[in-house]
Amino acid sequence: MRKIIDMRLNPSDAYVPARWKYMASLMLGIAPGRIYHITPIRLSMDARNKVVFRLKAEIFIGEHLPQEERVFKTALPDVSSRSPVIVVGAGPAGLFAALALVQRGFKPIVIERGKTIQGRKYDIALLNRGEKLNPESNYCFGEGGAGTFSDGKLYTRSTKRGDVTSILRTLVEHGAADNILFDAHPHIGTDKLPGIITSMRRSLLEAGAEFHFNTRVTGFLVSKGRIKGIRDSAGNNFKAGAVILATGHSAHDVYEMMHKEGYALEARPFALGVRVEHPQKLIDEIQYGMADRGR
Ligand SMILES: Cc1cc2nc3c(=O)[nH]c(=O)nc-3n(C[C@H](O)[C@H](O)[C@H](O)COP(=O)(O)OP(=O)(O)OC[C@H]3O[C@@H](n4cnc5c(N)ncnc54)[C@H](O)[C@@H]3O)c2cc1C
């Protein structure tokens, strides 16, 4: 039997599944051993008075979670000999575009001006020591795109632009903790993000996609008004029947080139964010009213 219940949890219990089980058993009036599995649906914090967490969860009483409801890595089709589509940029937009292409039976050819995560880490270390800025490999450019070395906050729950849940599941399949699937304010964590991006690249490569790093797109191959591919800064041509431009907001040179060549461009509104960092202890005191939240 399954039941959906709403639990109120102390901050120190909010991320401890054993405590969820205990609370659920109290609420349902059954022994904890009768609960075989708990699927969290949504975890949110209520900070209006004393801080409490609310967990909506599906409780499996005397039955296990069926195999098909577990998160497994989705098998991708082999696209190595399928029609190529060029994806410019290996940021989030480019990587997810490449994944969507594979799922639809196209072979993505991902072209990225920067380096792989590993090479990028080295360049960022140099930058942080004030030694050198590599214009092609830095906080904005390189595998994973602009936010790769950030906390990886995933706050949007907007359904207007697509299926957020499938994006979150893809991230879990590639190594993110599964609490991002139900946490109201999920984040991946700076330590995990680079590994997840590398894992996504591996999945794409296994499916037959190509990746070309250190390759900066400088122009398009166009014939009779139709796109035929791109050319890079070293003079190489890459041919494909379609090109997806996922170059992010820092690629000013791309937009200047397109403007010069007469492509129709439209400016988008922008949002400005500011990041302020505090010690965890201070946040625990201010937000949760305790010296140590225990997590
Ligand atoms: C410090 C920081 C922290 C952030 N934290 C978060 C967060 O916690 N949560 C969140 O949701 N968002 C965060 N963001 C924003 C998020 O990173 C961006 O919204 C996101 O990266 C945009 O994805 P994108 O793929 O469109 O572009 P980008 O990530 O900019 O990727 C574009 C890619 O294209 C490549 N490229 C550009 N020009 C060319 C060219 N000519 N040829 C070949 N390749 C090219 C670039 O090297 C880059 O890898 C953060 C951003 C920064 C800078």
Side-chain angles (χ1 to χ4, degrees):
M1 190 194 2
R2 302 182 188 193
K3 276 198 171 162
I4 292 181
I5 60 169
D6 285 296
M7 292 182 261
R8 284 164 64 89
L9 299 164
N10 288 326
S12 54
D13 294 343
Y15 291 90
V16 186
R19 297 295 297 165
W20 304 349
K21 197 178 208 180
Y22 175 71
M23 285 303 294
S25 70
L26 286 184
M27 280 183 73
L28 296 169
I30 55 173
R34 292 282 300 141
I35 298 177
Y36 287 12
H37 175 79
I38 296 179
T39 299
I41 298 169
R42 184 178 162 83
L43 179 68
S44 58
M45 189 178 67
D46 183 349
R48 281 172 295 183
N49 297 308
K50 181 176 173 285
V51 177
V52 287
F53 278 78
R54 291 176 185 279
L55 176 66
K56 183 175 188 175
E58 187 170 24
I59 314 298
F60 288 65
I61 305 160
E63 71 173 271
H64 292 282
L65 178 71
Q67 194 82 340
E68 63 276 11
E69 289 180 34
R70 296 180 190 178
V71 175
F72 285 116
K73 210 164 173 180
T74 319
L76 294 173
D78 178 0
V79 293
S80 50
S81 50
R82 306 299 288 270
S83 304
V85 172
I86 290 170
V87 177
V88 187
L95 289 173
F96 277 95
L99 210 53
L101 286 168
V102 169
Q103 284 157 349
R104 286 159 182 76
F106 293 95
K107 173 181 174 166
I109 300 182
V110 182
I111 314 260
E112 167 57 55
R113 71 197 295 165
K115 299 181 184 175
T116 60
I117 297 251
Q118 274 314 108
R120 212 179 152 190
K121 275 186 182 163
Y122 176 79
D123 290 325
I124 284 179
L126 287 183
L127 182 63
N128 287 342
R129 289 204 299 269
E131 289 180 24
K132 191 176 145 199
L133 165 68
N134 181 339
E136 303 299 343
S137 173
N138 46 54
Y139 275 108
C140 292
F141 293 158
E143 185 179 28
T148 304
F149 299 100
S150 79
D151 188 27
K153 289 189 173 54
L154 302 166
Y155 288 3
T156 185
R157 283 285 182 262
S158 164
T159 49
K160 286 183 208 147
R161 294 185 203 151
D163 180 2
V164 175
T165 308
S166 81
I167 300 288
L168 297 179
R169 284 180 77 92
T170 301
L171 293 168
V172 172
E173 287 172 8
H174 290 90
D178 62 4
N179 65 4
I180 65 168
L181 297 173
F182 57 84
D183 212 328
H185 291 102
H187 72 109
I188 291 185
T190 317
D191 51 334
K192 289 227 173 87
L193 203 42
I196 292 167
I197 287 158
T198 308
S199 168
M200 284 180 70
R201 166 166 41 95
R202 287 207 189 107
S203 294
L204 287 162
L205 285 170
E206 277 165 23
E210 280 179 26
F211 277 78
H212 299 265
F213 290 99
N214 304 304
T215 306
R216 180 163 57 90
V217 172
T218 51
F220 303 115
L221 308 175
V222 179
S223 168
K224 296 184 187 145
R226 292 192 71 85
I227 190 92
K228 297 288 175 196
I230 58 95
R231 65 173 177 275
D232 74 8
S233 56
N236 302 310
N237 290 343
F238 291 80
K239 294 192 177 154
V243 174
I244 296 176
L245 210 54
T247 45
H249 67 12
S250 305
H252 299 184
D253 51 350
V254 172
Y255 306 115
E256 276 162 24
M257 174 270 286
M258 292 179 75
H259 181 59
K260 229 183 256 170
E261 293 190 10
Y263 292 94
L265 297 171
E266 192 181 325
R268 291 179 51 198
F270 70 93
L272 176 68
V274 178
R275 175 164 161 159
V276 181
E277 295 192 5
H278 296 296
Q280 182 67 52
K281 202 169 164 296
L282 179 67
I283 297 294
D284 286 347
E285 278 165 16
I286 296 171
Q287 185 139 30
Y288 305 103
M290 52 179 62
D292 180 4
R293 189 159 59 109
R295 185 176 169 240

